[in-house]
Amino acid sequence: MREAVFLRQNEARWKQYEQPAAGPEDLAARFVALTDDLAYAQTFYPGSPTTRYLNDLTARQHQALYKNKPESTGRFADFWRRELPLLVAQHHGPLTWSLVLFTLFTAIGALSAAYDDTFVRVVLGDAYVNQTLANIERGDPMAVYKGHDETPMFLLITMNNIYVSLVAYALGATLGLGTIWALFRNGVMLGSFQYFFYQKGLLLPSFLTIWIHGTLEISAIVLAGGAGLVMARGMLFPGTYSRTEAFRQAARDGLKLAIGLVPIFITAGFLEGFVTRHTEMPLLLSLLIIGSSAAFIIWYFILYPRQLASRR
C-alpha cells in the first residue's frame, strides 16, 4: 500500500486520537490500534513523516495510559471480564469454523462406528472397550469414572486437557493443518464414543453422566482449536500488514484465547474427578449441571462478547 493511501485511510481516525479519550477502555483501544499502525508504518515507510507522527502519537497515548498504574490488581480480572470476550468477538470467524469442523468430525466418527463394528476399538482401544463392556454386564456402564481417587484423577485430567488445548493452539503454526487434525481426532473420538453407548441402548445414561464434565471440556477444546485457526489465519491472510507482523498479532491473540480457557478446564476436571463418578445422582441434578454449563458457554462466548463489542 502506498504511503499516501495509508495516510488517507487513517488520518481522520488519528486526528480523533489527538483529543482526550472518553475513558480507560477507549484509551486502551486507541493504544492497541496505534501500535498496529506504527508497526506497519515502520515496516513499509521507515523514517517517513507518517512514521514519526505515529511514533509521537503512540508515545503520548502510552504516557496517558500508564501514568496512573495503581490498579494493577484489576488487570487480572479485567482479562476475563473484557479482554477475552472482546477477542472472542473479534475472531468469531475462526471460532465458528472450529465448531463447524468439530461437529462434522463428530458426525464422521458416529457414522464410521455405525458402519464398522471394529471402528470403536480402533479409536478408543481394545482395553477401554472391553472394560466398558464388562461394566455394562455388571450393570454399571459408567464405572470407568470411579476407578481412581478423586484428587489424582482431577489433577491428571485437568493437566491433560490444558496440554491438549495448548497443542491444538500451537499446531496453528502448521498453517492450521495440525489444528484441524487435532479437531478431527477429538471429534471422531467423541462421535464413535457416543455411538458405542447408543448401540448398547445407553445413550441417555451416558449423556447424563459424560456431559456433566463434557459440556465444558468439549466446548473448551473447540475454542482451543479456534485459537489455533486464529494464528493460522494471521499467517495465511496478513491483510495490509506484513506476514511476520500479522502472524505475531494473531499468535498473541490465539495464545490469550487458549490461556483464557484454563479456568474452564480446571472446572471440567473438577467435575469429572469429583462429580461425574456419582452416577446415581438424581436426574434433575444432572440436567441442572449440564444446563448450567451450556448456558455459561453460550452466554460468555456468544452473547456477552457480542454485547460488549456492540457497546464499543
Side-chain angles (χ1 to χ4, degrees):
M1 183 189 302
R2 292 183 177 179
E3 184 178 357
V5 176
F6 179 67
L7 182 63
R8 185 169 61 250
Q9 288 182 350
N10 298 286
E11 186 175 17
R13 174 166 57 85
W14 296 337
K15 291 297 182 184
Q16 291 180 352
Y17 291 171
E18 294 179 359
Q19 305 301 317
E25 296 173 12
D26 184 36
L27 187 60
R30 289 183 178 189
F31 180 69
V32 171
L34 280 171
T35 54
D36 291 343
D37 294 337
L38 177 60
Y40 184 83
Q42 288 174 332
T43 301
F44 294 101
Y45 325 116
S48 71
T50 300
T51 302
R52 289 194 296 270
Y53 167 75
L54 285 172
N55 187 66
D56 178 67
L57 184 58
T58 304
R60 280 184 277 156
Q61 297 291 328
H62 181 275
Q63 185 178 13
L65 183 63
Y66 288 98
K67 67 180 180 181
N68 296 318
K69 196 83 172 141
E71 38 133 35
S72 57
T73 54
R75 176 67 180 86
F76 187 77
D78 189 66
F79 174 77
W80 277 279
R81 187 173 64 248
R82 289 191 170 278
E83 188 172 351
L84 182 60
L86 286 173
L87 279 175
V88 171
Q90 178 183 348
H91 298 293
H92 62 88
L95 294 172
T96 301
W97 271 110
S98 181
L99 175 60
V100 170
L101 289 171
F102 186 84
T103 302
L104 174 64
F105 297 149
T106 301
I108 291 174
L111 285 172
S112 299
Y115 285 98
D116 185 353
D117 293 337
T118 64
F119 185 76
V120 174
R121 292 184 175 274
V122 172
V123 174
L124 301 179
D126 287 328
Y128 177 84
V129 173
N130 292 336
Q131 180 184 0
T132 302
L133 289 173
N135 291 336
I136 291 173
E137 289 190 11
R138 288 197 299 268
D140 192 3
M142 300 294 121
V144 67
Y145 293 103
K146 308 173 185 178
H148 302 279
D149 293 337
E150 289 94 334
T151 301
M153 186 175 179
F154 157 61
L155 294 174
L156 180 62
I157 290 170
T158 299
M159 295 304 296
N160 179 70
N161 287 339
I162 293 173
Y163 169 77
V164 168
S165 71
L166 291 177
V167 167
Y169 155 72
L171 288 174
T174 63
L175 301 180
L177 296 178
T179 296
I180 293 174
W181 166 253
L183 290 171
F184 174 81
R185 184 173 180 274
N186 285 279
V188 167
M189 187 178 297
L190 175 64
S192 59
F193 179 82
Q194 285 287 209
Y195 191 84
F196 172 69
F197 284 102
Y198 168 76
Q199 279 185 316
K200 304 302 177 184
L202 296 167
L203 180 61
L204 181 59
S206 70
F207 175 85
L208 293 174
T209 301
I210 296 163
W211 288 90
I212 286 175
H213 63 271
T215 304
L216 294 177
E217 181 181 303
I218 297 301
S219 299
I221 289 174
V222 172
L223 290 162
L229 295 181
V230 166
M231 178 161 57
R233 184 176 68 170
M235 299 175 65
L236 294 170
F237 308 105
T240 58
Y241 297 102
S242 68
R243 197 171 300 275
T244 300
E245 177 62 21
F247 172 71
R248 184 186 67 82
Q249 294 183 29
R252 177 194 61 196
D253 288 352
L255 181 60
K256 288 181 180 179
L257 288 169
I259 291 176
L261 299 173
V262 170
I264 296 177
F265 281 122
I266 292 175
T267 305
F270 174 83
L271 290 173
E272 187 168 357
F274 290 92
V275 181
T276 301
R277 63 178 57 241
H278 298 290
T279 56
E280 73 286 352
M281 74 171 61
L283 172 64
L284 289 179
L285 182 56
S286 295
L287 292 175
L288 177 63
I289 297 173
I290 295 170
S292 299
S293 299
F296 168 76
I297 293 295
I298 292 171
W299 172 76
Y300 187 75
F301 289 101
I302 300 177
L303 302 180
Y304 181 55
R306 291 181 179 178
Q307 181 185 29
L308 206 58
S310 67
R311 290 178 185 172
R312 293 172 62 88

